[in-house]
């Protein structure tokens, strides 16, 4: 299978929001790590899950598939999925795959938290 | 809070970006003029987020037995000879050459059991856009009107000393009519037969037999009623109407002197 190196620490950003800081590559092998990070955000009672792509090294099409699956899970839980820190290239990938129509995208964490408040 | 990580192996190779450039609408004008090409040009692409029906993740996998090719060679050949592994009666028209990011192809597909429209014409004319391709995998998404809204990813890999090839589909039926076909089992049978035969043919190309498996996971059991209007683009309906209207087009061409 694909091999990857990814770390996704989870931190509380506000009473209702958690941030998943992605460090590394998002491909099919990242699934257990990403889902575990999401589960931690759920356990913390977050209504808003913010994904920080600032330190994303690479994402392939399987990675986009993981984000789609995560988005559906979040919707089922009544949560909102948000993203920030996307560089121009990955902003274009979100546009190409129409993820930008389903995930709220912000330039920075501060902008995302301001929108939540 | 804690940190989640995986580091199964280091990844020393430099990643070459495999993504297509963004496109707002598809253009399939480069494919040959003698195919039924009516449901691609001008269409938006769709992923599972834009579909109507239940969302499924399906994985069609074959374990190569009797041959042990390099997985990257499998992906290279799969990209280069993509339509040659398809079941008979289904046609793929592109600009030619291996699948590359940004390629748009027109598909002329038969129905369940290989049935065609009268005159051997395709039952469904639709297409795909290759959104991603690298040495390890490639993916396409579908245009509005396709049976399925979603992304298919094709890959090969080695695990526990064996080589596997797989198709992973993250999909929803595009509209209510297609969803009925899936709920009745016809859509699933059509799709499952298609990809199971494809991976078998791929293994045969490498002189391998194989054990095939199919796993289905329902990612979202609900339907998206807001997408019911997708039926406007239904490629099966439009292809049928196109065939019905062909005598009228023929007369108009004669009258017009073309």
């Amino acid at each position: 299978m694909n091999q990857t190196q990814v770390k996704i620490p989870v931190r509380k950003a506000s009473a209702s929001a958690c941030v998943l800081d992605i460090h590394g590559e998002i491909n099919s092998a990242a699934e257990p790590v990403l889902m575990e990070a999401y589960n931690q955000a759920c356990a913390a009672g977050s209504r808003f899950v913010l994904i920080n792509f600032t330190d994303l090294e690479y994402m392939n099409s399987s990675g986009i598939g993981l984000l789609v699956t995560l988005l559906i899970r979040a919707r089922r839980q009544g949560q909102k999925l948000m993203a920030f820190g996307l560089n121009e290239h990955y902003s274009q990938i979100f546009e190409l795959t129409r993820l930008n129509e389903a995930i709220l995208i912000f330039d920075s964490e501060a902008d995302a938290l301001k929108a939540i408040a | 809070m804690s940190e989640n990580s995986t580091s199964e192996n280091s990844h020393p190779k430099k990643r070459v970006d495999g993504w297509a450039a963004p496109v707002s609408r598809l253009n399939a004008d480069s494919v040959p003029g003698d195919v039924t090409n009516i449901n691609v040009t001008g269409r938006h692409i769709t992923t599972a987020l834009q579909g109507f029906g239940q969302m499924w993740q399906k994985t069609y996998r074959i374990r190569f037995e009797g041959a042990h090719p390099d997985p990257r060679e499998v992906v290279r050949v799969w990209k280069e000879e993509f339509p040659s592994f398809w079941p008979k009666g289904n046609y793929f028209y592109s600009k030619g050459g291996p699948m590359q990011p940004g390629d748009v192809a027109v598909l002329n597909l038969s129905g369940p059991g290989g049935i065609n429209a009268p005159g051997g014409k395709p039952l469904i004319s639709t297409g795909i856009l290759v959104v991603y391709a690298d040495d390890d995998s490639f993916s396409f998404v579908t245009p509005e009107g396709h049976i399925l809204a979603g992304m298919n990813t094709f890959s090969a890999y080695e695990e526990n000393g064996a080589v596997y090839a797989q198709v992973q589909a993250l999909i929803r039926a595009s509209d209510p009519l297609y969803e009925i076909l899936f709920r009745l089992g016809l859509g699933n049978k059509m799709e499952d037969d298609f990809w199971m035969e494809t991976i078998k043919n791929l293994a045969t190309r490498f002189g391998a037999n194989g054990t095939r498996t199919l796993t289905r996971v329902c990612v979202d059991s609900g339907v998206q009623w807001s997408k019911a209007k997708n039926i406007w683009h239904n490629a099966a309906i439009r292809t049928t109407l196109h065939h019905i209207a062909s005598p009228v087009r023929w007369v108009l061409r004669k009258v017009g002197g073309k």
Side-chain angles (χ1 to χ4, degrees):
Chain A
M1 293 290 285
N2 253 335
Q3 294 163 337
T4 191
Q5 279 198 318
V6 65
K7 292 181 179 178
I8 311 180
V10 181
R11 61 188 163 85
K12 197 103 176 148
S14 75
S16 59
C18 269
V19 178
L20 279 52
D21 293 307
I22 292 175
H23 300 275
E25 290 188 17
I26 297 290
N27 56 28
S28 58
E31 181 173 8
V33 183
L34 183 62
M35 293 310 165
E36 175 54 29
Y38 172 72
N39 289 340
Q40 283 184 30
C42 290
S46 304
R47 279 179 47 228
F48 300 94
V49 178
L50 283 61
I51 306 180
N52 177 6
F53 288 96
T54 308
D55 291 322
L56 174 70
E57 288 173 14
Y58 193 77
M59 180 160 55
N60 65 9
S61 54
S62 296
I64 289 291
L66 283 183
L67 293 181
V68 170
T69 306
L70 191 66
L71 178 67
I72 299 301
R73 284 188 63 184
R75 279 183 182 170
R76 275 179 174 175
Q77 303 281 338
Q79 296 167 316
K80 279 233 186 290
L81 205 60
M82 304 164 116
F84 67 90
L86 285 163
N87 64 23
E88 193 183 336
H89 177 61
Y90 284 106
S91 294
Q92 287 184 349
I93 303 308
F94 270 48
E95 191 187 325
L96 171 69
T97 55
R98 299 182 68 180
L99 263 178
N100 62 333
E101 296 173 15
I103 297 180
L104 296 167
I105 298 172
F106 298 90
D107 288 339
S108 66
E109 182 175 339
D111 288 346
L113 291 174
K114 201 186 293 178
I116 292 168
Chain B
M1 305 194 78
S2 67
E3 185 173 275
N4 307 285
S5 71
T6 181
S7 54
E8 295 166 15
N9 208 341
S10 61
H11 217 312
K13 70 180 181 348
K14 172 93 175 99
R15 298 305 302 256
V16 177
D17 189 80
W19 286 101
V23 288
S24 56
R25 288 175 188 273
L26 299 178
N27 184 335
D29 292 344
S30 63
V31 302
D34 57 345
V35 306
T36 308
N37 177 6
I38 51 171
N39 291 311
V40 182
T41 297
R43 296 281 191 273
H44 292 107
I45 64 107
T46 64
T47 69
L49 296 171
Q50 284 80 36
F52 170 81
Q54 292 180 325
M55 185 169 161
W56 292 88
Q57 181 170 293
K58 292 183 176 183
T59 306
Y60 308 89
R61 184 177 297 149
I62 188 162
R63 182 182 193 271
F64 283 34
E65 290 160 5
H68 197 281
D70 179 353
R72 286 191 164 184
E73 178 63 6
V74 174
V75 171
R76 187 191 67 75
V77 169
W78 208 349
K79 282 194 286 192
E80 216 162 271
E81 302 172 19
F82 186 70
S84 70
F85 305 118
W86 281 16
K88 285 188 178 125
N90 299 286
Y91 300 94
F92 178 99
Y93 303 97
S94 68
K95 65 175 177 51
M99 307 270 274
Q100 289 184 339
D103 283 355
V104 175
V106 170
L107 317 182
N108 282 187
L109 306 175
S110 58
I115 57 166
N116 279 316
K121 291 177 176 170
L123 211 60
I124 304 171
S125 175
T126 178
I128 53 120
L129 167 71
V130 181
V131 285
Y132 186 88
D134 67 11
D135 292 340
D136 302 308
S137 66
F138 58 102
S139 304
F140 65 64
V141 293
T142 52
E144 292 166 315
H146 194 285
I147 307 154
L148 295 162
M151 181 163 69
N152 281 18
T153 297
F154 306 83
S155 60
Y157 59 91
E158 195 164 346
E159 193 172 77
N160 299 326
V163 176
Y164 293 81
Q166 73 173 26
V167 182
Q168 190 162 64
L170 188 60
I171 45 167
R172 287 182 191 271
S174 288
D175 65 41
L177 189 61
Y178 290 138
E179 178 67 0
I180 290 169
L181 284 179
F182 275 81
R183 295 287 177 114
L184 291 174
L186 288 171
N188 277 316
K189 179 169 171 30
M190 202 172 134
E191 199 207 7
D192 296 348
D193 288 352
F194 191 102
W195 293 122
M196 291 298 253
E197 187 171 340
T198 294
I199 56 175
K200 178 174 170 257
N201 293 339
L202 176 70
T204 303
R205 166 70 171 74
F206 287 91
N209 296 312
T211 307
R212 292 175 290 170
T213 56
L214 162 59
T215 55
R216 287 194 195 102
V217 177
C218 185
V219 180
D220 185 4
S221 58
V223 300
Q224 303 198 113
W225 284 106
S226 64
K227 308 295 183 188
K229 60 182 182 292
N230 289 351
I231 201 165
W232 174 252
H233 290 294
N234 185 298
I237 294 173
R238 285 176 175 255
T239 306
T240 303
L241 293 175
H242 178 80
H243 293 327
I244 290 170
S246 63
V248 177
R249 286 196 306 278
W250 183 83
V251 169
L252 288 175
R253 273 198 304 274
K254 289 291 175 195
V255 170
K258 291 179 184 173

